[in-house]
Amino acid sequence: MLTWTPGAVTLDALATLYWTETPARLDPACRPAVERAAAAVAAAASGAEAVYGVNTGFGKLASVRIPPDRTAQLQRNLIRSHCCGVGPAIPRRVARLMMALKLLSLGRGASGVRWEIVALIEGMLAQGVTPAIPAQGSVGASGDLAPLSHMAAVMIGEGEAEVGGRVLPGAEALAEAGLAPVTLGAKEGLALINGTQFSTAFALAGLFEGWRCAAAALATGALSTDAIMGSDAPLQPEIHALRGHRGQIEAAATMRALLAGSAIRESHREGDARVQDPYCIRCQPQVTGAAMDLLRQAAATLETEANAATDNPLVLTEAGLIVSGGNFHAEPVAFAADMLALALAEIGAIAQRRVALMVDPTLSFDLPPFLTPDPGLCSGYMIAEVTSAALMSENKHLANPCSTDSTPTSANQEDHVSMAAHGARRLMPMAENLAAILGVELLCAAQGVEHRAPLATSAPLARILARLRAEVPTLTDDRALAPDMARAADLVRTGAVVEAAGADLFPRLA
């Protein structure tokens, strides 16, 4: 069980929940602040003054006053009417991360919900009750209304949820886990659905998956460098210190460590007629390192957002105010998602060029055409390279910005929106594409390094080669490569490539 302090949760803690699905709960020390805000909302609900979302309608209907005896119906209607998502259910680990982010937001003590609401989300995480949340329907302002409504629906005993591997009606899912639905009080429905947690969860998922790929790209890139008998001179630390970018410096240091001790490298240090390697070999630190910097910039934004109170209105207990603002607008998340997309696309673009280099006998420094021992009769990795090119191009298209798009909604009341939701949702498919590209590179580079026998690669790269060969044999005669490619991509995606080389050799996200 993870115990989180609202406002102070780190990327490492968020990543732990994402990768392991460990339940999270709030530090009980935040309870008094949560309850003070709930008391302020209760007082406003019975008062004479109109307070948005407490005793009024929503959005364009904010001018409609709701009497105190209809508060519960107002909140229930809000959840029901906003359950308008379409498309497949989102992955379980993303849904659980979204729920945990909502916990953090409520825990800031500015939402006005009772502790009972917090306790139910904690219970659902602990007992494995995961709402079935359609992937599409949010424009990223006024919060992720539709997807969060599908989460809230389960909390009131409606909607659907997965528990124990089965998808059940919400009330049955809660009962199966020994939990009971809640009756929402004033503002509680609004607090649950008004926020950026859906977009932020998907952006964080893209970040965590993408960072694994970025680290693996340093390993596959180093293996490719040895396969084509490339130079390690461009990795000289002074070069990168003179530019000063952290990612570039760290990428070069990792690649130096990965290549250290390679007999392949030492064999052509003297007498090599080539003066320079192509950019896809020579400029790896400048490109992959820059992408790592971009991932970290996005990570800083997302860590802040994960700890933020993003519903509306917010209860400012110290000032004695309940104020309608705009923290639900997910523009920071949209910008971060666009940055992540650019980084993923570029890591894949330069990796694909390394694949193309290795299969081309005019550029690969005496590797056989398409890395097959019997070219002509066999096609080797010819079409695997084509597939990597297709995935690279797909990611380029997906990397086009989403944050520059907007459309007015809700009768022009919500007249500028962030599009953070689908900007973030595209990141997981992009990371899958990138893992597949790097998997193809891993296969080709391993084949190329083995062709250099009896010369041996470095010890860290030899460990990567051995890990691959435990799953995929050397290519001799042609065979269907799709299963090999899937296994290689899985080694990238799960972090097995980095672990085989030695995780201590690689930069950390945070």
Side-chain angles (χ1 to χ4, degrees):
M1 176 72 71
L2 303 170
T3 300
W4 286 354
T5 300
V9 173
T10 64
L11 283 172
D12 281 344
L14 294 164
T16 296
L17 185 141
Y18 176 73
W19 291 119
T20 68
E21 299 190 24
T22 304
R25 65 175 184 175
L26 297 184
D27 186 332
C30 73
R31 182 169 182 169
V34 171
E35 293 182 334
R36 283 195 297 272
V41 167
S46 59
E49 183 179 348
V51 180
Y52 173 70
V54 175
N55 53 16
T56 72
F58 308 103
K60 194 72 171 179
L61 303 176
S63 60
V64 179
R65 186 69 183 272
I66 308 299
D69 62 346
R70 306 194 75 179
T71 295
Q73 183 182 354
L74 172 69
Q75 299 299 316
R76 186 171 61 252
N77 287 349
L78 174 69
I79 302 305
R80 288 173 171 172
S81 67
H82 284 53
C83 281
C84 293
V86 299
I90 67 176
R92 185 180 64 217
R93 64 176 50 174
V94 179
R96 288 177 61 83
L97 180 56
M98 182 191 81
M99 294 165 68
L101 293 175
K102 178 55 73 175
L103 265 184
L104 286 176
S105 183
L106 299 179
R108 293 298 299 271
S111 298
V113 302
R114 294 164 296 153
W115 190 256
E116 183 181 354
I117 302 298
V118 170
L120 179 55
I121 299 175
E122 290 178 339
M124 291 167 68
L125 287 170
Q127 299 302 319
V129 179
T130 307
I133 299 170
Q136 296 166 276
S138 174
V139 294
S142 165
D144 295 315
L145 295 171
L148 287 169
S149 293
H150 286 274
M151 178 197 76
V154 175
M155 297 176 66
I156 63 172
E158 302 185 9
E160 292 183 326
E162 180 204 348
V163 61
R166 297 184 299 154
V167 177
L168 301 173
E172 291 182 31
L174 290 175
E176 182 92 359
L179 301 171
V182 294
T183 298
L184 298 174
K187 193 189 173 294
E188 288 180 337
L190 190 59
L192 286 170
I193 73 172
N194 206 331
T196 66
Q197 288 76 36
F198 176 89
S199 297
T200 305
F202 266 102
L204 284 167
L207 170 67
F208 299 147
E209 302 275 357
W211 187 264
R212 279 193 174 178
C213 288
L218 298 177
T220 58
L223 199 62
S224 296
T225 300
D226 236 13
I228 62 104
M229 301 186 97
S231 174
D232 61 357
L235 303 177
Q236 191 72 17
E238 293 85 352
I239 293 173
H240 308 287
L242 283 167
R243 199 171 198 186
H245 293 296
R246 177 187 173 187
Q248 178 179 329
I249 291 168
E250 291 181 343
T254 294
M255 293 188 68
R256 285 196 306 275
L258 290 169
L259 286 161
S262 168
I264 296 174
R265 173 62 188 116
E266 295 305 319
S267 72
H268 63 96
R269 196 172 291 278
E270 303 292 337
D272 192 334
R274 296 171 297 172
V275 177
Q276 293 180 329
D277 292 319
Y279 288 178
C280 66
I281 298 295
R282 188 172 12 133
C283 297
Q284 291 182 71
Q286 287 82 359
V287 177
T288 306
M292 289 163 51
D293 283 340
L294 207 55
L295 291 172
R296 284 180 172 136
Q297 290 174 37
T301 295
L302 295 175
E303 185 177 59
T304 298
E305 189 73 8
N307 283 285
T310 57
D311 64 290
N312 184 62
L314 291 174
V315 184
L316 311 179
T317 53
E318 291 188 7
L321 299 172
I322 300 177
V323 182
S324 184
N327 280 5
F328 52 75
H329 199 297
E331 196 79 359
V333 182
F335 284 151
D338 281 348
M339 292 164 66
L340 292 169
L342 291 172
L344 298 181
E346 279 300 278
I347 294 169
I350 194 168
Q352 200 284 326
R353 295 316 304 156
R354 294 191 296 267
V355 173
L357 185 71
M358 287 185 283
V359 301
D360 186 343
T362 64
L363 299 173
S364 64
F365 202 58
D366 298 328
L367 292 177
F370 303 105
L371 298 165
T372 174
D374 197 359
L377 180 65
C378 294
S379 296
Y381 286 103
M382 178 189 294
I383 304 305
E385 185 270 331
V386 173
T387 297
S388 73
L391 296 173
M392 172 191 69
S393 188
E394 183 176 323
N395 272 5
K396 288 179 181 178
H397 286 280
L398 288 170
N400 281 298
C402 295
S403 59
T404 53
D405 188 20
S406 180
T407 187
T409 60
S410 192
N412 281 301
Q413 177 74 7
E414 298 158 8
D415 59 351
H416 181 278
V417 297
S418 70
M419 299 301 180
H422 65 265
R425 274 196 303 109
R426 70 184 152 163
L427 297 174
M428 291 185 75
M430 289 185 72
E432 290 177 7
N433 289 345
L434 176 53
I437 293 168
L438 296 172
V440 172
E441 182 181 17
L442 177 60
L443 293 169
C444 291
Q447 190 88 356
V449 163
E450 289 173 334
H451 181 77
R452 303 300 182 186
L455 295 172
T457 190
S458 67
L461 295 180
R463 291 194 294 270
I464 294 174
L465 185 55
R467 183 67 183 85
L468 173 67
R469 291 299 175 232
E471 303 282 341
V472 179
T474 302
L475 185 65
T476 52
D477 294 328
D478 276 349
R479 61 175 181 258
L481 290 177
D484 296 1
M485 292 161 62
R487 292 188 191 102
D490 197 51
L491 292 176
V492 171
R493 191 179 301 112
T494 60
V497 169
V498 169
E499 289 297 326
D504 59 318
L505 300 178
F506 293 83
R508 289 177 55 83
L509 172 59

